């Protein structure tokens, strides 16, 4: 093992990154540079511990990890399922908990029971497809949306949506409800497959410390 090699972390911007940094700090891994909110830097370094960190959009984290630009990543389970990258998922960090659900107006519940051909709007077409085709064996027309998917059923674009639900308040405010749960979600730690072979002691030691801290 190369003692001088850096271990690089890719973190999904926002709440997940903040929570991850708090958790890492609890096991003695800090990166003071990242606390400077005015910094324009893209890569932050802890020379003493030979660590590098960078922030990216959630969907890009598994890509950086799969291709070895980052050794370790932290991202939501929803992104992992949607992106389908070849990485090792090593730890459920337990925060960022929510659910992926099929939602819609209450009358759409009947459409889900009878395996009718329906239209499904989602930011997560791969997750929606896997759920309807492989779990429910229901043929559906999946429409990818990037914005507020709740609009789908309201304006008549779709019968239901597949989306992340935290509290459900946005759904209720718009006359929609959770009809079926697809899967539970939370933040996950992922590792590049080659990195796991090249630096197993360092990475496994980190996973062990985090597991004990949680």
């Amino acid at each position: 093992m190369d003692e001088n090699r850096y271990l690089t972390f890719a973190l999904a911007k926002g709440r997940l990154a903040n929570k991850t940094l708090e958790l890492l700090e609890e096991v003695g891994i800090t990166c003071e540079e990242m606390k400077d909110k005015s910094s324009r830097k893209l890569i932050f370094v802890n020379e003493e511990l030979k660590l590098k960190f960078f922030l990216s959009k959630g969907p890009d984290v598994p890509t950086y990890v799969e291709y070895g630009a980052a050794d370790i990543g932290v991202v939501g389970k929803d992104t992992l399922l949607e992106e389908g990258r070849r990485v090792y998922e090593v730890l459920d960090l337990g925060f960022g908990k929510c659910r992926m659900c099929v939602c819609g107006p209450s009358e759409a519940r009947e459409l889900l029971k009878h395996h009718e051909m329906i239209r499904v709007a989602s930011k997560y077409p791969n997750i929606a497809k896997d759920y309807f085709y492989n779990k429910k064996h229901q043929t559906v027309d999946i429409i990818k949306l990037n914005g507020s998917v709740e609009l789908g059923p309201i304006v008549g674009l779709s019968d239901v949506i597949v989306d992340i639900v935290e509290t459900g308040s946005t759904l209720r405010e718009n006359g929609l409800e959770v009809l079926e749960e697809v899967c539970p979600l939370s933040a996950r730690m992922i590792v590049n497959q080659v990195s796991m072979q090249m630096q197993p002691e360092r990475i496994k030691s980190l996973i062990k410390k985090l597991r004990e801290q949680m």
Side-chain angles (χ1 to χ4, degrees), residues 83-126:
E83 296 297 314
R85 295 287 177 183
R86 290 190 302 275
V87 296
Y88 291 134
E89 184 185 319
V90 295
L91 199 57
D92 181 346
L93 296 172
F95 52 79
K97 283 189 176 177
C98 47
R99 302 176 293 155
M100 184 70 73
C101 297
V102 180
C103 313
S106 58
E107 56 269 22
R109 201 179 291 276
E110 284 302 309
L111 300 175
L112 296 170
K113 281 181 192 165
H114 304 307
H115 285 67
E116 290 182 40
M117 177 70 175
I118 58 172
R119 285 198 295 197
V120 180
S122 185
K123 289 178 197 169
Y124 304 94
N126 292 328

Side-chain angles (χ1 to χ4, degrees), residues 179-190:
L179 304 172
E180 293 177 354
E181 183 171 323
V182 177
C183 60
L185 304 170
S186 57
R188 308 295 164 102
M189 179 172 277
I190 56 174

Side-chain angles (χ1 to χ4, degrees), residues 102 111-112 115-121 125 127-134 136-143 159-160 162:
V102 180
L111 300 175
L112 296 170
H115 285 67
E116 290 182 40
M117 177 70 175
I118 58 172
R119 285 198 295 197
V120 180
I127 294 174
K129 187 176 179 181
D130 178 65
Y131 179 70
F132 279 101
Y133 283 59
N134 299 330
K136 284 180 65 75
H137 307 294
Q138 181 170 1
T139 305
V140 293
D141 182 11
I142 294 168
I143 303 163
D159 298 291
V160 296
V162 169

Side-chain angles (χ1 to χ4, degrees), residues 6-9 31-36 39-47 51-55:
Y6 286 86
L7 206 57
T8 302
F9 289 76
C31 189
E32 294 303 318
E33 284 189 341
M34 293 192 84
K35 293 179 180 173
D36 178 6
S39 174
R40 312 292 288 179
K41 281 188 175 183
L42 294 175
I43 295 181
F44 305 89
V45 184
N46 180 325
E47 290 292 354
L51 299 172
K52 289 182 180 177
F53 299 84
F54 65 87
L55 300 172

